[in-house]
């Protein structure tokens, strides 16, 4: 995260880290149910074998495992069948864990939006992750507040890419607060009434975040995929 | 290394060692960079001439924004060809080596377009020193020069009549982006080789019709896709399966859609929510005979809800206009199945004359622990 701040442990209990040896943390991910995690499809490019991945929950400092940490292996990776690597469209995937997580105050699922629920432009939401900070990779989870930007406005920043309805833009023209390499797959959450946090985006792509080219970040629009997510979880739980 | 995998042949060495040149282990790979998909070659080799190690890195680089923007100024007919030869260099499949652009192409591009960049205060990419590229062409074997008919605009761009390239999504958007307005001409879907969504002006690719994913407003591209008989029901992928197979616990549609949404709750009447099962696309109440609490858990879980559920057996007289019954089949405990609908059968009498009513809870989500108070 660029322009963010270090997060307090346990503040984002749905944030998880998708890890693979020998590199360790590769992408962010989001806990949506005891056995299910969302992330983006591009995290698995060239590494689609579930056996090489593990998912770490309840962690704040990647370098210091905490007593609240839980680790699960990956049982299944479900990539969106329309994921297009060349244009980074339909960038979403579902991960089935090998065992349920134990729900604690440090490991809890986030709410998913309903099919019709959209986040309005100019809403302020939060992004989190262990991605690049512009000058270094952090050990501690970072958080940043970003503003939702309309698709039309967002398209103006990306002359060379088509912003589709499967995407959601958030950030600032100046790029002051933005997601960056290593944040991919992590959450963009907005607070809803009664203090519930709902997942509206997954960090997907943007301009080179620490270069001269600035602009908002582009997130996978979770509302667009709700039906697909529900179907896949149902199929893998009851029909396979 | 955190975002890409290394080719297998390099696994004997540390894949993230920066001193280990990837040039030694890279192989020809298909071009996926959207900007450069119209080149007279299909394979590339990395790192490229701008120092990007992967196509993904190239796709989000400053240069991949710069060159297409510059093409729009019409400064040089072959600028985009040159840009692509350095962004996704041609790969020789025999040697797995890159083939660079010829020096003359580089020099011409720089000479004609660099000054335009200067006007807006930008610099020509530093890594494009033309002297690094060979002069000799030898039939495009040593270095590349463009053919006369090379396409200037990438497939994701529209070429204005003036020659300028504008983003394809801006074509026919009601606003002129070409100086000659040519991007707003011939805007019918048909003229553009696309399909027009009924009752909206949206155009989609023909391959998107009846593919199981709704793309038009109201999912109009997914209607009238199958012609099933009266005794059949349409799967989500538009296959037809016999009506009696719907929600029978066996998968009949290839996409498994005949076993989706088989369990639901009736509408809330007098605060009681009756468990319903949709066998053969007909709604059935569930008879309370032999009902057990673990079945209530299963029903709630199938509806995406949590527990512990509250189960009630409601006598039939309290719900006078009830639907048909379904009963648990005999020895259902021995059946190895994961869905409720597979355990139920029709046509049996309901001895208790009672229906199952359920109250499931929604799994808790989205709550953060309260911040701990500390005295100051």
């Amino acid at each position: 995260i660029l322009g963010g701040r270090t997060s307090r442990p346990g503040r984002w209990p749905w944030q998880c880290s998708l890890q693979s040896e020998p590199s360790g943390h590769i992408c962010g991910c989001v806990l949506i149910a005891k056995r299910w995690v969302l992330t983006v499809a591009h995290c698995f490019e060239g590494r689609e074998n579930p056996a090489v991945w593990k998912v770490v929950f309840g962690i704040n400092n990647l370098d210091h495992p905490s007593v609240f940490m839980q680790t699960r292996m990956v049982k299944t990776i479900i990539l969106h069948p329309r994921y297009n690597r060349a244009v980074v469209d339909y960038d979403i995937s579902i991960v089935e864990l090998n065992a349920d997580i134990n729900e604690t105050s440090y490991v809890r699922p986030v709410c998913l939006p309903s099919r019709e629920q959209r986040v309005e432009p100019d809403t302020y939401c939060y992004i989190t992750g262990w991605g690049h900070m512009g000058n270094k990779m952090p050990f501690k989870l970072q958080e940043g507040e970003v503003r939702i930007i309309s698709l039309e406005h967002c398209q103006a920043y990306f002359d060379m890419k088509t912003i589709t309805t499967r995407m959601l833009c958030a950030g600032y023209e100046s790029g002051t607060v933005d997601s960056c390499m290593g944040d991919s797959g992590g959450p963009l959450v907005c607070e809803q009434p009664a203090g519930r946090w709902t997942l509206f985006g997954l960090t997907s792509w943007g301009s080179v975040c620490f270069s001269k080219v600035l602009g908002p970040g582009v997130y996978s629009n979770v509302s667009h995929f709700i039906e697909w997510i529900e179907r896949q979880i149902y199929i893998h739980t009851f029909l396979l | 290394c955190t975002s890409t995998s290394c080719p297998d042949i390099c696994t004997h060495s540390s894949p993230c060692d920066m001193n280990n040149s990837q040039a030694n282990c890279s192989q020809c790979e298909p071009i996926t960079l959207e900007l450069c998909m119209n080149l007279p070659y299909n394979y590339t080799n990395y790192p490229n001439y701008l120092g990007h190690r992967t196509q993904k890195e190239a796709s989000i680089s400053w240069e991949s924004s710069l060159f297409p923007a510059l093409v729009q100024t019409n400064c040089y007919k072959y600028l985009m060809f040159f840009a692509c030869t350095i962004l996704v260099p041609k790969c020789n499949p025999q040697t797995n080596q890159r083939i660079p652009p010829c020096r003359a192409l580089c020099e011409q591009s720089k000479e004609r377009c660099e000054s335009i960049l200067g006007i807006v205060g930008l610099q020509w990419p530093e890594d494009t020193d033309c002297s690094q590229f060979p002069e000799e062409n030898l039939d495009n074997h040593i270095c590349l020069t463009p053919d006369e008919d090379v396409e200037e605009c990438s497939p994701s761009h529209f070429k204005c009549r003036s020659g300028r390239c504008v983003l394809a999504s801006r074509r026919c958007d009601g606003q002129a982006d070409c100086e000659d307005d040519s991007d707003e001409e011939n805007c019918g879907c048909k003229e553009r080789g696309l399909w027009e969504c009924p009752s909206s002006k949206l155009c989609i690719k023909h391959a998107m019709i009846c593919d199981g994913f709704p793309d038009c407003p109201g999912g109009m591209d997914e209607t009238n896709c199958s012609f099933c008989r009266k005794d059949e029901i349409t799967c989500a992928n538009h296959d037809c399966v016999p009506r009696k197979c719907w929600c029978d616990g066996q998968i009949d549609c290839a996409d498994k859609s005949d076993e989706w949404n088989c369990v639901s709750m009736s509408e809330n009447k007098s605060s009681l929510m009756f468990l319903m099962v949709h066998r053969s696309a007909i709604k059935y109440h569930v008879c309370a005979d032999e009902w057990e609490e673990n079945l209530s858990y299963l029903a709630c879980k199938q509806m995406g809800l949590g527990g512990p559920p509250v189960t009630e057996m409601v006598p039939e007289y309290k719900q006078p206009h009830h639907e048909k019954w379904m009963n648990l089949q005999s020895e259902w405990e021995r059946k190895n199945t994961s869905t409720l609908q597979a355990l139920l059968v029709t046509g049996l009498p309901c001895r208790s004359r009672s229906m199952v009513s359920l109250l499931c809870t929604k799994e808790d989500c989205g709550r953060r622990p309260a911040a701990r108070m500390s005295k100051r």
Side-chain angles (χ1 to χ4, degrees):
Chain A
I1 306 288
L2 301 181
R5 63 179 183 184
T6 299
S7 177
R8 183 167 52 78
R11 189 169 154 84
W12 309 105
W14 38 82
Q15 170 84 51
C16 49
S17 165
L18 204 51
Q19 303 188 354
S20 177
E21 296 303 333
S23 323
H25 172 85
I26 305 253
C27 273
C29 55
V30 194
L31 182 69
I32 56 165
K34 285 195 170 84
R35 198 179 274 250
W36 297 94
V37 155
L38 285 186
T39 186
V40 288
H42 80 245
C43 291
F44 297 110
E45 273 173 27
R47 301 182 193 197
E48 291 179 25
N49 178 6
V52 305
W53 293 97
K54 68 176 178 181
V55 188
V56 182
F57 303 89
I59 191 172
N60 182 267
N61 188 334
L62 288 175
D63 207 31
H64 288 90
S66 84
V67 291
F68 309 109
M69 193 174 94
Q70 297 181 37
T71 304
R72 296 290 180 275
M73 299 309 287
V74 172
K75 184 180 173 194
T76 320
I77 297 168
I78 309 165
L79 302 178
H80 196 286
R82 275 191 172 184
Y83 169 58
N84 184 325
R85 182 178 172 169
V87 294
V88 205
D89 201 0
Y90 293 90
D91 191 10
I92 189 166
S93 61
I94 308 170
V95 171
E96 184 181 9
L97 306 173
N98 68 332
D100 288 5
I101 53 94
N102 301 317
E103 197 171 322
T104 67
S105 57
Y106 285 81
V107 183
R108 279 181 182 172
V110 72
C111 299
L112 289 177
S114 61
R115 289 175 201 188
E116 310 78 30
Q117 198 177 354
R118 297 281 185 271
V119 61
E120 293 297 317
D122 296 331
T123 307
Y124 284 85
C125 299
Y126 276 86
I127 52 172
T128 48
W130 289 277
H132 213 284
M133 295 171 70
N135 51 357
K136 62 170 183 175
M137 291 294 279
F139 288 115
K140 290 186 176 176
L141 183 67
Q142 302 291 303
E143 63 183 40
E145 192 179 34
V146 287
R147 192 178 65 197
I148 303 295
I149 292 171
S150 71
L151 291 189
E152 296 75 27
H153 192 176
C154 185
Q155 182 65 79
Y157 291 106
F158 297 102
D159 253 11
M160 304 320 303
K161 286 275 195 184
T162 307
I163 305 295
T164 68
T165 53
R166 279 77 64 187
M167 300 171 192
L168 182 69
C169 296
Y172 302 92
E173 184 175 359
S174 54
T176 43
V177 184
D178 199 1
S179 47
C180 200
M181 280 74 168
D183 291 320
S184 279
L188 180 151
V189 286
C190 312
E191 192 172 12
Q192 300 289 291
R196 285 188 188 273
W197 289 81
T198 300
L199 180 73
F200 283 98
L202 295 167
T203 301
S204 179
W205 62 276
S207 56
V208 181
C209 36
F210 42 89
S211 74
K212 290 171 273 185
V213 183
L214 299 172
V218 183
Y219 301 80
S220 297
N221 181 355
V222 174
S223 305
H224 183 92
F225 296 107
I226 288 300
E227 192 168 342
W228 178 74
I229 295 167
E230 288 175 351
R231 289 269 177 268
Q232 294 307 314
I233 291 179
Y234 180 79
I235 288 169
H236 282 79
T237 305
F238 296 104
L239 303 180
L240 290 182
Chain B
C1 271
T2 55
S3 60
T4 60
S5 61
C6 289
D8 288 345
I9 56 167
C10 282
T11 50
H12 61 274
S13 60
S14 173
C16 287
D17 180 358
M18 299 303 285
N19 296 323
N20 175 18
S21 166
Q22 279 212 323
N24 296 334
C25 57
S26 63
Q27 292 177 310
C28 293
E29 61 183 60
I31 293 173
T32 58
L33 188 70
E34 195 184 2
L35 286 175
C36 297
M37 287 211 171
N38 56 344
L39 291 169
Y41 55 88
N42 299 324
Y43 287 86
T44 185
N45 186 311
Y46 269 69
N48 66 14
Y49 289 103
L50 294 166
H52 308 137
R53 285 172 297 171
T54 63
Q55 292 196 63
K56 192 190 293 172
E57 197 178 318
S59 74
I60 53 174
S61 66
W62 177 63
E63 291 86 355
S64 73
S65 298
L66 174 83
F67 282 117
L70 201 50
V71 166
Q72 301 189 15
T73 66
N74 252 341
C75 58
Y76 181 42
K77 186 178 177 187
Y78 301 122
L79 176 72
M80 204 59 214
F81 179 80
F82 166 67
C84 286
T85 61
I86 56 173
L87 278 165
V88 282
K90 182 178 179 177
C91 185
N92 181 334
Q94 274 81 45
T95 61
N96 277 326
Q97 294 296 309
R98 301 179 303 184
I99 302 178
C102 293
R103 189 179 298 177
L105 174 64
C106 176
E107 286 172 346
Q108 287 283 312
S109 302
K110 192 171 180 181
E111 192 181 308
R112 296 187 190 201
C113 300
E114 187 177 22
S115 57
I116 293 168
L117 278 184
I119 295 169
V120 290
L122 293 173
Q123 282 191 332
W124 189 255
E126 287 168 7
D127 292 333
T128 49
D129 175 13
C130 296
S131 63
Q132 69 178 302
F133 301 127
E135 287 183 358
E136 195 179 0
N137 183 350
L138 203 70
D139 213 15
N140 271 353
H141 278 105
I142 294 170
C143 64
L144 298 175
T145 51
D147 287 336
E148 269 291 308
D149 56 351
V150 71
E151 279 291 330
E152 289 166 84
C153 300
S154 79
S156 59
H157 286 74
F158 170 72
K159 187 175 183 179
C160 305
R161 209 166 29 247
S162 62
R164 187 176 158 179
C165 308
V166 297
L167 197 64
S169 61
R170 297 204 172 152
R171 169 151 162 69
C172 299
D173 64 353
Q175 291 192 324
D177 297 285
C178 301
E179 51 280 89
D180 54 15
D181 295 356
S182 53
D183 59 317
E184 296 299 322
E185 292 171 3
N186 299 321
C187 279
C189 297
K190 203 175 166 189
E191 289 91 331
R192 293 152 62 197
L194 299 168
W195 187 73
E196 187 175 312
C197 294
S199 73
S200 92
K201 291 283 174 200
L202 191 70
C203 305
I204 63 168
K205 290 177 187 165
H206 284 276
M208 291 175 162
I209 304 168
C210 296
D211 70 345
F213 290 95
D215 296 286
C216 293
M220 297 296 277
D221 55 318
E222 297 298 321
T223 58
N224 300 326
C225 295
S226 49
F227 300 93
C228 298
R229 296 196 309 259
K230 274 189 177 174
D231 60 344
E232 291 179 325
I233 296 182
T234 314
C235 307
N237 67 356
H238 311 298
D239 287 347
C240 301
V241 300
R243 185 170 281 270
K244 64 177 184 191
C245 297
W246 211 255
C247 290
D248 66 348
Q250 304 291 318
I251 294 165
D252 298 285
C253 296
D255 61 2
K256 307 171 184 69
S257 55
D258 59 309
E259 298 299 323
W260 298 350
N261 299 328
C262 295
V263 177
S264 69
M265 303 286 236
S266 66
E267 282 178 23
N268 192 352
K269 290 172 188 165
S270 64
S271 79
L272 290 171
M273 301 284 277
F274 291 100
L275 181 61
M276 310 291 287
V277 173
H278 304 228
R279 174 70 54 82
S280 306
I282 299 168
K283 282 186 185 177
Y284 290 88
H285 279 300
V286 177
C287 171
D289 293 356
E290 293 184 56
W291 190 259
E292 288 182 10
E293 198 60 18
N294 56 341
L295 295 169
S296 298
Y297 268 101
L298 175 60
C300 290
K301 205 176 163 200
Q302 265 189 258
M303 288 184 276
L305 298 167
V310 178
T311 313
E312 266 190 68
M313 311 303 177
V314 181
E316 185 188 19
Y317 67 84
K318 285 196 177 177
Q319 184 73 8
H321 304 295
H322 74 81
E323 319 276 331
K324 297 174 178 179
W325 301 102
M326 280 191 94
N327 291 56
L328 280 166
Q329 56 179 274
S330 57
E331 299 190 332
W332 61 269
E333 301 95 329
R334 292 188 188 178
K335 219 172 168 210
N336 183 21
T337 181
S338 53
T339 59
L340 180 65
Q341 65 266 25
L343 301 173
L344 299 168
V345 289
T346 55
L348 294 178
C350 184
R351 294 189 306 275
S352 64
R353 307 299 296 173
S354 295
M355 297 173 281
V356 177
S357 167
L358 270 188
L359 186 64
C360 305
T361 50
K362 196 173 183 326
E363 298 267 19
D364 196 26
C365 63
R367 285 195 192 280
R368 295 195 313 201
R372 276 194 219 103
M373 191 180 73
S374 60
K375 288 177 183 167
R376 290 180 177 173

